[in-house]
Amino acid sequence: MLYPSRDLHGPAQSRAVRDLFQSLFVAELIHPSPKLWLFFAWISDVEIIDNSAREFAALEPDWPAAPIRLSQVLRALLARGVAIRLVIRADGHNDYFIARLQNLKARYGDQIKWIVEKSFHAKGLLGADYFLSGSMNLTLNGISINGEHLVLRTDPAAVAEQSIELETRWEGLMA
C-alpha cells in the first residue's frame, strides 16, 4: 500500500488509540509540521505522551519522568516554531484547556491561534503528512472509554484537501 491508512475503534483499541496519539506527537517533536491543526468539539489537557521511563528525554530533557499532558507537548512544539491552530466548541468543558492556551498565547503570541465556535462538532488532527479524523473527542472518555472510530490517512491528496478546507474555513477567523 503506497499510502497506508489505519482504522481504530474504541474502547477495544483504546491502548492503540493512546499509542497512535503518542506516536503522532513524538513524530511532530522530531520533525515538526510547519502548522498543526487540532479541531475537537471537546478537548482536555489529557496525558498524551508516557514519559514515565524518561524515554523521551532526548526530545525534551526538562520533562519529568511522568505522563506529559497535551499543553506541555504544544508548548514544546511552539518552541520549535510550529504554528498551532485549534477549533474548539463553545462548551464549559473546554474552559480549562482554553485557559491553558491563554498561557501559551501570552508567551508565543500569534504563533498559536484558536476559535471557539458555538455549534462546532468535527474532530481531527492535521499535520503536514497525515490527517486523523473520526468521532473521538480529545478527552479521557474519548480516548479510553467511549465507543469511537478514528481513521488515520497519509495520502497526500487527502491531507492537502483537509488542509485547504481548514485554511479556507477557519484561518481568517482565528484570534
Side-chain angles (χ1 to χ4, degrees), residues 30-130:
I30 293 169
H31 185 72
S33 296
K35 186 179 282 188
L36 183 66
W37 285 88
L38 294 93
F39 48 102
F40 292 94
W42 291 273
I43 190 166
S44 302
D45 200 11
V46 291
E47 296 173 353
I48 211 83
I49 293 177
D50 181 3
N51 195 47
S52 55
R54 294 205 26 88
E55 60 264 52
F56 301 107
L59 296 176
E60 285 294 318
D62 294 334
W63 278 353
I68 305 303
R69 296 198 171 273
L70 179 58
S71 62
Q72 293 171 278
V73 175
L74 295 180
R75 182 181 316 113
L77 290 169
L78 288 163
R80 287 166 169 77
V82 176
I84 296 178
R85 302 295 184 260
L86 298 103
V87 185
I88 305 169
R89 184 183 187 101
D91 185 89
H93 169 89
N94 297 324
D95 291 347
Y96 176 79
F97 190 73
I98 291 168
R100 303 296 295 227
L101 295 177
Q102 294 285 4
N103 292 335
L104 293 173
K105 182 132 183 112
R107 180 167 183 182
Y108 292 98
D110 283 345
Q111 193 178 334
I112 182 168
K113 294 181 179 182
W114 64 88
I115 186 167
V116 178
E117 184 71 21
K118 180 181 173 186
S119 61
F120 185 73
H121 197 73
K123 292 111 181 167
L125 177 67
L126 176 74
D129 55 4
Y130 65 90

Side-chain angles (χ1 to χ4, degrees), residues 10-12 14 140-148:
S14 64
L140 180 60
N141 282 350
I143 293 171
S144 301
I145 297 169
N146 296 342
E148 306 288 2

